[in-house]
């Protein structure tokens, strides 16, 4: 029997798990990272922030912004809502999601709203426009691309939360090896304790994957292990943990691919068995081969 052409099912979202890891890092670092983002990315100065009484936005749906507070400055002495979202995926629905945030915030707080999206994918987003325009409706917000900001703006920050951002920024012609090495050296100077250092190296590992620099990171850690300037045991432990994480991810991806392949084969086999029964029944009822192929949407050769 001729193999039946298979139809492709709807594609999944393989980046969803990775996006959740980025979200977790942003939420962990946001308190210390906020001043740098407001200064470097949003170009704000001489301001005062005040938390809102309710950060979860709930109407018929519930939304939790990445960052949302009231800001007081020369632009709005009476205060306005400042919302910052982080996104590494360039999808068209982002504009509508930001519009949805604005609608809910306006309904609940009745204040002026200023929205910013910080895009940490590579280059400028193509699908995220930063505006929605219809005949009777116009909505805008500001989109910032981390890859267009100099790595120096983050590298020489006062906190490790800022420094790890440097791997996502514009390298200004420097190689991945040079950038990663400078980030590691800066983290070592800022974070002397082992636990804190390990935490930010792991965050750096997640971000480096977005720029295809994970192998460079492991290489730089290994090279630094052979110098007397740094604590050998700490770097060695981190290197082993990064390797183990890579192995676990590989095994998990392999299992996932195996499950998907098994499911695909099972579905194909089940559909083929149903087709055989249907073909036999229709032949018994006097249907011709051409008619059966059209009804089942298969080729005449498959029916034969």
């Amino acid at each position: 029997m001729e193999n039946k052409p298979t139809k492709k099912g709807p594609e999944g979202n393989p980046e969803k798990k990775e996006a959740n890891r980025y979200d977790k890092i942003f939420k962990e670092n946001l308190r210390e990272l906020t001043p740098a983002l407001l200064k470097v990315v949003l170009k704000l100065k001489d301001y005062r922030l005040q938390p809102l009484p309710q950060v979860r936005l709930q109407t018929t749906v519930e939304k939790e912004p990445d960052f949302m507070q009231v800001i007081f400055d020369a632009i709005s002495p009476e205060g306005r809502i400042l919302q910052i979202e982080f996104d590494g995926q360039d999808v068209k629905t982002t504009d509508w999601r930001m519009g949805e945030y604005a609608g809910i915030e306006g309904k609940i707080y009745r204040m002026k709203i200023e929205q910013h999206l910080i895009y940490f994918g590579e280059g400028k987003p193509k699908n995220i426009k930063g505006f929605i325009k219809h005949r009777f409706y116009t909505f805008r917000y500001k989109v910032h691309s981390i890859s267009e900001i100099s790595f120096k703006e983050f590298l020489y920050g006062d906190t490790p939360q800022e420094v790890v951002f440097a791997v996502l920024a514009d390298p200004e012609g420097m190689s991945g090896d040079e950038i990663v090495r400078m980030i590691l050296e800066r983290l070592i100077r800022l974070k002397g304790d082992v636990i804190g250092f390990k935490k930010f190296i792991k965050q750096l590992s997640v971000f480096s994957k977005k720029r295809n620099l994970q192998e460079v990171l492991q290489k730089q850690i290994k090279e630094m292990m052979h110098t007397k300037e740094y604590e050998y045991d700490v770097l060695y432990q981190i290197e082993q943990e990064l390797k183990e994480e890579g192995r676990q991810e590989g095994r998990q991806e392999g299992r996932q691919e195996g499950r998907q392949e098994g499911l695909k084969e099972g579905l194909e086999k089940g559909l083929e068995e149903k087709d055989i029964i249907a073909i036999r029944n229709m032949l018994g009822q006097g249907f011709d081969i051409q008619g059966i192929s059209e009804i089942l949407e298969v080729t005449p050769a498959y029916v034969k």
Side-chain angles (χ1 to χ4, degrees):
M1 181 178 286
E2 180 183 88
N3 290 332
K4 179 182 176 181
T6 57
K7 297 179 181 178
K8 292 183 179 179
E11 294 183 358
N13 188 357
E15 295 187 358
K16 187 174 182 180
K17 182 178 178 181
E18 199 66 29
N20 290 337
R21 296 178 71 185
Y22 296 130
D23 289 343
K24 182 181 178 183
I25 293 174
F26 287 126
K27 284 179 171 62
E28 286 178 355
N29 292 353
L30 203 49
R31 184 184 298 275
E32 291 79 8
L33 189 58
T34 298
L37 292 177
L38 299 190
K39 177 184 176 183
V40 174
V41 183
L42 274 58
K43 308 298 183 185
L44 295 174
K45 58 182 179 179
D46 300 327
Y47 60 85
R48 176 174 64 87
L49 293 174
Q50 176 181 301
L52 286 156
Q54 176 188 350
V55 178
R56 286 182 180 269
L57 305 178
Q58 186 168 3
T59 53
T60 54
V61 294
E62 185 177 286
K63 294 285 185 181
E64 185 176 4
D66 291 333
F67 174 87
M68 189 173 75
Q69 290 193 22
V70 179
I71 184 170
F72 302 88
D73 58 9
I75 298 174
S76 54
E78 74 285 1
R80 68 185 183 281
I81 290 177
L82 176 65
Q83 180 191 357
I84 304 173
E85 294 296 309
F86 302 93
D87 210 324
Q89 294 181 293
D90 182 16
V91 293
K92 294 179 179 179
T93 53
T94 299
D95 293 327
W96 288 103
R97 176 164 58 88
M98 294 297 286
E100 187 177 20
Y101 271 124
I104 298 173
E105 291 162 12
K107 179 180 178 181
I108 293 175
Y109 298 110
R110 309 293 177 89
M111 296 179 68
K112 294 178 181 178
I113 301 168
E114 179 179 332
Q115 292 177 297
H116 297 264
L117 184 134
I118 297 178
Y119 179 71
F120 57 90
E122 198 163 357
K124 279 187 177 181
K126 296 179 181 178
N127 295 311
I128 299 173
K129 304 298 184 184
F131 66 88
I132 299 170
K133 189 172 183 179
H134 288 287
R135 184 179 176 188
F136 299 111
Y137 172 69
T138 300
F139 164 73
R140 291 184 179 275
Y141 64 97
K142 185 69 175 176
V143 180
H144 309 267
S145 297
I146 287 293
S147 62
E148 294 185 331
I149 300 173
S150 170
F151 75 95
K152 296 174 186 175
E153 298 284 359
F154 300 105
L155 180 67
Y156 301 114
D158 296 325
T159 65
Q161 288 86 354
E162 296 173 61
V163 175
V164 293
F165 249 63
V167 77
L168 296 171
D170 181 4
E172 296 187 341
M174 299 192 73
S175 69
D177 287 272
E178 292 173 310
I179 294 291
V180 170
R181 174 110 187 158
M182 286 191 290
I183 293 172
L184 287 171
E185 290 175 344
R186 183 67 176 162
L187 286 175
I188 289 171
R189 291 191 184 96
L190 287 175
K191 205 71 184 174
D193 63 284
V194 176
I195 295 175
F197 182 60
K198 285 172 61 178
K199 170 187 173 182
F200 293 110
I201 291 296
K202 287 184 177 180
Q203 291 184 359
L204 180 60
S205 175
V206 174
F207 283 154
S208 66
K209 190 174 183 180
K210 200 72 178 174
R211 296 293 185 262
N212 297 318
L213 291 173
Q214 275 197 313
E215 290 184 8
V216 172
L217 175 61
Q218 290 188 19
K219 172 190 168 188
Q220 286 298 328
I221 288 176
K222 186 174 290 186
E223 288 182 2
M224 292 172 73
M225 280 165 41
H226 299 294
T227 68
K228 294 181 180 180
E229 299 174 47
Y230 307 110
E231 189 176 351
Y232 177 92
D233 292 339
V234 178
L235 291 171
Y236 178 78
Q237 188 178 358
I238 291 170
E239 186 208 20
Q240 294 305 309
E241 288 181 5
L242 291 177
K243 283 184 178 179
E244 181 58 29
E245 283 183 6
R247 285 193 289 267
Q248 288 179 1
E249 286 182 4
R251 285 194 291 267
Q252 188 172 358
E253 288 175 2
R255 286 195 294 269
Q256 182 66 21
E257 289 177 3
R259 283 195 293 268
Q260 290 176 349
E261 188 63 29
L263 178 61
K264 180 181 175 182
E265 290 178 2
L267 287 171
E268 289 179 358
K269 186 175 181 181
L271 290 171
E272 186 173 307
E273 289 174 353
K274 286 184 179 180
D275 284 345
I276 291 172
I277 295 171
I279 290 169
R280 286 175 176 168
N281 288 339
M282 283 190 282
L283 284 171
Q285 294 176 18
F287 284 83
D288 60 21
I289 290 176
Q290 185 63 35
I292 295 172
S293 69
E294 290 175 0
I295 293 170
L296 295 181
E297 296 183 348
V298 296
T299 63
Y302 178 78
V303 177
K304 290 180 183 179

